[in-house]
Amino acid sequence: MADGIAYLSATDANGPTTPSSSNDELSAEKLDDFSSPSWRKRSRHFLVLSSAGKPIYSRFGNEAQLSTLMSAVQAIISTFADMSDPVKSMTMGQHTIVFYTNGPLYLLAVSDRGDPAELLRNELQLLHSQIVSILTSAQLTKIFEQRSNFDLRQLLGGTEGLIDHMVDKLDTDLSFALGSLDTLWIRYKLRERIGKALLAARPPKGLLYAMLVADMKLVTLLRPRKHSLHPSDLHLLFNMATSRTFLTGEHWMPMCFPKFNDQGFLHVYLSYISPHVALVLVSADRDGFPALTQCRERIYEDLSSDDALQRLDDAASQRALRPSELGVTGLLQLYYRNKTLVQHFGTRFDDSVDEDQRRRIINTYKRLRLYISGGGLNPLRIIYHKCESDTVLAWQSSSFELYATVAPTMEVKGMIRLVNSVLEWIKNEEDHLFVVNAPSY
């Protein structure tokens, strides 16, 4: 692995390690070519290639087996570029095809689910950011300026699991589309107790951010008073934190935060302090690992001195609230986004909702959000969407966005009453749902 992107595991006697997926996981979906029935039946595909047509990444199928397809994509993009009319999207039958170019990288998304082109383009931009987080824009530019036909897989080797995980999350989690942070529901006093432990650990020189993360959800965050990380950068960080590679030991690795500075690395310390909770420390000091290890020990000892760490892990193990815990009946799933805090929470799906329906509901949420956040003189405030299996309501005000799903038998008036009851519950629980007063230094 090239210098600058090795992932160091402090407890691994064999030296540097890289995030990876097991061979069993890879064998079924990473060995197909684009002519195989199993590859073609996938509803969505994400491909990345270089401007020279070299394969870089495919969510499904083996990049080498897809080289012919990649070359065709490169030819299409180059042809339109030569005409001074860059191709952005096209429709072929039931398939929407979206192109996105950024520097030396060409990205392609294909969907047969009727996904809007704008939605797919936003997801391609997130995929590009994931790659930049591993390499930096500066390194990408330099590599392809020196060798336009360079095989970037040499530098990304071992990180495919991270990229796959993010692409899969795009399909099942609304966090990326909302552009806000998912937060863990815990009692305010416990969150405050944890924040004080982070602050009392005496942040070492070079530390920029300290946070606790549970299953892509923010527990609390310690940051400089006048600085904050963009939610999309934190999504990339949380995606890495939830990789199974990092569940044991201490890890120290460089990471680029594209919205913060896409030209260079910061350095990330990651260690799970309980089975479900990761401590993440972001530092500007590339030699800061020993000091951050000591900081981790102080935080762990502080939270273990009473029942705070156990209570936190118990809350994290629940992952998300059930719809019934919001004090209403008939709710199948809900997301609520606080615009001021740029944070959100989502419930689990009701047990009656199967996997396919869950994906379709998430996709409906994403589409409706495009409509209510599209701007214009008269943006939509409320959208009521009904189909055979469920009814979805999207509602935005000056302070919140809400997306809720109920059974199709519920009448409009009943759904409005349900949502109003949920809003009242959220108002009463706000301090427990969100990170309201994050500590700073």
Side-chain angles (χ1 to χ4, degrees), residues 158-421:
T159 64
E160 298 93 338
L162 283 179
I163 304 173
D164 288 348
H165 186 259
M166 193 209 71
V167 170
D168 291 345
K169 279 289 185 180
L170 292 175
D171 205 25
T172 60
D173 191 327
L174 200 62
S175 296
F176 297 94
L178 288 175
S180 54
L181 299 178
D182 195 359
T183 50
L184 180 70
W185 185 94
I186 58 173
R187 288 297 175 186
Y188 173 79
K189 290 295 184 182
L190 177 57
R191 200 187 309 271
E192 185 180 49
R193 163 78 176 88
I194 296 164
K196 288 179 178 179
L198 295 182
L199 195 58
R202 302 187 302 278
K205 178 182 177 181
L207 181 69
L208 297 176
Y209 304 93
M211 63 198 80
L212 291 178
V213 181
D215 188 38
M216 296 285 287
K217 300 183 191 326
L218 179 67
V219 177
T220 195
L221 169 71
L222 174 67
R223 62 176 180 83
R225 286 186 177 86
K226 297 183 179 181
H227 297 279
S228 61
L229 283 174
H230 194 279
S232 65
D233 284 342
L234 287 170
H235 288 156
L236 298 175
L237 181 61
F238 293 178
N239 182 58
M240 181 180 68
T242 55
S243 169
R244 286 177 297 173
T245 301
F246 301 121
L247 291 180
T248 59
E250 298 175 272
H251 304 271
W252 178 240
M253 66 220 82
M255 180 174 177
C256 174
F257 294 85
K259 294 292 186 181
F260 180 82
N261 175 18
D262 66 355
Q263 299 299 304
F265 288 113
L266 293 176
H267 301 271
V268 176
Y269 172 94
L270 194 155
S271 176
Y272 273 75
I273 60 173
S274 76
H276 300 97
V277 180
L279 172 67
V280 182
L281 307 174
V282 180
S283 176
D285 182 5
R286 65 182 301 171
D287 299 315
F289 178 76
L292 295 181
T293 294
Q294 295 174 9
C295 183
R296 185 257 190 209
E297 289 306 310
R298 291 193 292 269
I299 293 170
Y300 178 78
E301 290 175 3
D302 189 342
L303 294 177
S304 299
S305 64
D306 53 24
D307 64 348
L309 185 57
Q310 184 59 56
R311 289 167 60 203
L312 172 58
D313 194 72
D314 289 344
S317 68
Q318 301 302 313
R319 296 184 179 269
L321 295 169
R322 297 181 183 277
S324 59
E325 292 181 89
L326 275 60
V328 295
T329 58
L331 181 65
L332 300 182
Q333 203 279 332
L334 175 135
Y335 273 97
Y336 176 93
R337 181 179 188 266
N338 185 307
K339 290 185 175 182
T340 302
L341 297 174
V342 198
Q343 299 172 23
H344 70 268
F345 86 96
T347 70
R348 302 184 195 185
F349 280 93
D350 186 80
D351 292 340
S352 64
V353 182
D354 63 30
E355 192 65 31
D356 288 341
Q357 188 180 2
R358 294 180 186 191
R359 291 178 184 273
R360 190 185 52 73
I361 290 171
I362 292 294
N363 195 50
T364 300
Y365 288 166
K366 290 192 288 187
R367 287 202 214 184
L368 297 185
R369 186 168 196 269
L370 287 179
Y371 299 142
I372 68 173
S373 63
L377 295 176
N378 298 298
L380 297 173
R381 291 185 61 248
I382 299 177
I383 303 176
Y384 182 80
H385 178 274
K386 187 170 184 177
C387 65
E388 291 183 2
S389 56
D390 50 65
T391 299
V392 174
L393 179 74
W395 181 4
Q396 77 157 336
S397 72
S398 60
S399 59
F400 70 82
E401 294 175 31
L402 181 144
Y403 306 86
T405 302
V406 299
T409 54
M410 185 177 291
E411 298 294 332
V412 176
K413 290 182 179 179
M415 188 172 192
I416 295 298
R417 285 195 298 270
L418 180 148
V419 168
N420 284 331
S421 295

